[in-house]
């Protein structure tokens, strides 16, 4: 087996493993969002039927939405599911398109990695100060955790996408 074939196989295995993991984290994010929706539904039903509101609904739904977005983001990066303006790239040759996808993937990996780093710094500050949500007193670091983890995983997935695009550019 050539070194190039070995590298291609390793990249394919890494992408497959990342896809499985990102699928599980996206499913976890959607599950958390569904739980948040159930809290909102219960709150509405309790207000209508009993005239009582559930304490902390806003805290819980904010945490659920944050978790869902950032836990699903790596899968979107890995599968190229972000919104794109394809009419600009439809006329590109396969090699040029793959090179552009590689460059965009690298830029995304750097940018999202920087966001993860700065998010981790903010999470550390929230942890050190003992910041808590307004109503239920949920530690704010729990809001930062899915953001940082999702951004870090998204940076890795964007990098894998860039490597896959570079391999396509070489073959084209």
């Amino acid at each position: 087996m050539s070194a190039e074939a070995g590298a291609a196989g390793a990249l394919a295995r890494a992408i497959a493993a990342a896809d499985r993991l990102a699928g599980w984290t996206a499913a976890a994010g959607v599950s958390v969002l569904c739980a948040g929706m159930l809290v909102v539904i219960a709150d509405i039903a309790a207000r209508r039927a009993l005239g009582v509101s559930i304490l902390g609904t806003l805290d819980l739904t904010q945490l659920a939405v944050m978790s869902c977005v950032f836990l699903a983001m790596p899968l979107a990066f890995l599968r190229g599911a972000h919104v794109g303006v394809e009419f600009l790239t439809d006329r590109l040759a396969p090699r040029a398109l793959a090179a552009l996808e590689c460059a965009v993937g690298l830029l995304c990996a750097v940018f999202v990695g920087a966001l993860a780093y700065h998010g981790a710094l903010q999470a550390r500050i929230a942890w050190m100060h003992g910041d808590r949500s307004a109503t239920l007193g949920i530690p704010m670091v729990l809001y930062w955790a899915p953001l940082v983890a999702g951004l870090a995983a998204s940076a890795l997935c964007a990098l894998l996408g860039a490597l896959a695009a570079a391999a396509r550019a070489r073959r084209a």
Side-chain angles (χ1 to χ4, degrees), residues 5 24 27 32 42 46 48-49 55 59 64 73-74 82 86 106 111 116 119 121 126 129 139 146 168 170-171:
W24 281 105
V32 170
R48 301 280 280 168
L55 183 68
D59 286 359
M73 237 170 76
H82 293 293
E86 292 178 353
L106 289 173
F111 180 71
L121 294 178
H129 291 162
R168 283 195 310 278
R170 285 179 53 116
R171 289 191 306 268

Side-chain angles (χ1 to χ4, degrees), residues 52-158:
V52 177
S53 184
I54 297 175
L55 183 68
T57 300
L58 182 61
D59 286 359
L60 294 173
T61 54
Q62 285 176 340
L63 182 57
V65 170
M66 289 273 303
S67 296
C68 181
V69 167
F70 288 101
L71 292 176
M73 237 170 76
L75 189 62
F77 270 104
L78 200 56
R79 295 188 180 175
H82 293 293
V83 175
V85 184
E86 292 178 353
F87 76 89
L88 296 173
T89 58
D90 281 346
R91 298 179 195 261
L92 290 177
R95 175 174 257 162
L97 179 59
L100 179 63
E101 289 172 347
C102 178
V104 168
L106 289 173
L107 285 172
C108 285
V110 169
F111 180 71
V112 175
L115 290 175
Y117 173 75
H118 288 288
L121 294 178
Q122 292 301 311
R124 184 174 177 263
I125 290 169
W127 175 265
M128 288 173 37
H129 291 162
D131 293 347
R132 295 187 168 276
S133 66
T135 308
L136 293 179
I138 298 170
M140 292 306 288
V141 74
L142 294 180
Y143 289 81
W144 284 104
L147 181 141
V148 172
L151 287 172
S154 293
L156 291 174
C157 289

